Amino acid sequence: MMSKKRVGKFLEMLRQQPSMFANCTQETWAELDQNLAQLGDKDYEEIEEAILDWLDDHDYKTIKVALQSVKKDPLGDNETPPPRSESEQPITNTALRSAIKDAQNQHQQHSQSSK
């Protein structure tokens, strides 16, 4: 469950805090996408591992710290989590890779407009 929460947090940060990823380049995004391409939609542990390895490889410490701050829910294992809002997208590898594509596009536009 923890892996899924971290993957969800990474996805949320990608969408809502793009400035945290300002140092990421087209190449590093492509590398992450390639690593994720080999994984299934709900292989949360492997997806989390791929993200953390990528953060280590490129020294993205602030993002990693933010992800590691995600703690286990105080909810017991038998309690049901609150219902997800309709606007919230499912946490899947497909959703993550699509958010990475968006981030790559944003980065490209940003670097072109700052020349």
Side-chain angles (χ1 to χ4, degrees):
M1 241 5 239
M2 198 59 204
S3 296
K4 181 175 181 179
K5 288 184 72 163
R6 285 212 175 118
V7 172
K9 173 76 175 165
F10 186 75
L11 195 51
E12 188 183 300
M13 285 169 22
L14 260 177
R15 294 204 174 104
Q16 295 170 8
Q17 301 170 289
S19 61
M20 282 188 83
F21 298 90
N23 296 338
C24 302
T25 63
Q26 292 290 342
E27 292 73 30
T28 57
W29 282 126
E31 181 190 313
L32 178 59
D33 187 56
Q34 228 173 354
N35 297 343
L36 294 172
Q38 302 152 37
L39 305 174
D41 237 8
K42 295 190 188 305
D43 294 341
Y44 299 116
E45 282 174 24
E46 287 92 341
I47 295 169
E48 178 193 24
E49 183 98 2
I51 291 169
L52 293 174
D53 286 350
W54 177 75
L55 294 173
D56 280 343
D57 288 349
H58 299 289
D59 222 16
Y60 298 141
K61 285 193 180 79
T62 44
I63 303 169
K64 187 169 181 180
V65 168
L67 278 188
Q68 289 176 327
S69 71
V70 176
K71 296 281 183 271
K72 276 194 171 1
D73 262 343
L75 283 181
D77 284 341
N78 303 331
E79 293 181 54
T80 50
R84 299 166 63 84
S85 70
E86 284 305 306
S87 65
E88 225 179 296
Q89 293 195 332
I91 299 168
T92 62
N93 197 12
T94 308
L96 181 60
R97 293 183 66 207
S98 137
I100 289 170
K101 285 273 181 290
D102 293 345
Q104 268 183 306
N105 294 338
Q106 276 181 336
H107 180 81
Q108 207 169 11
Q109 287 164 356
H110 183 73
S111 58
Q112 284 171 347
S113 65
S114 62
K115 283 183 182 160

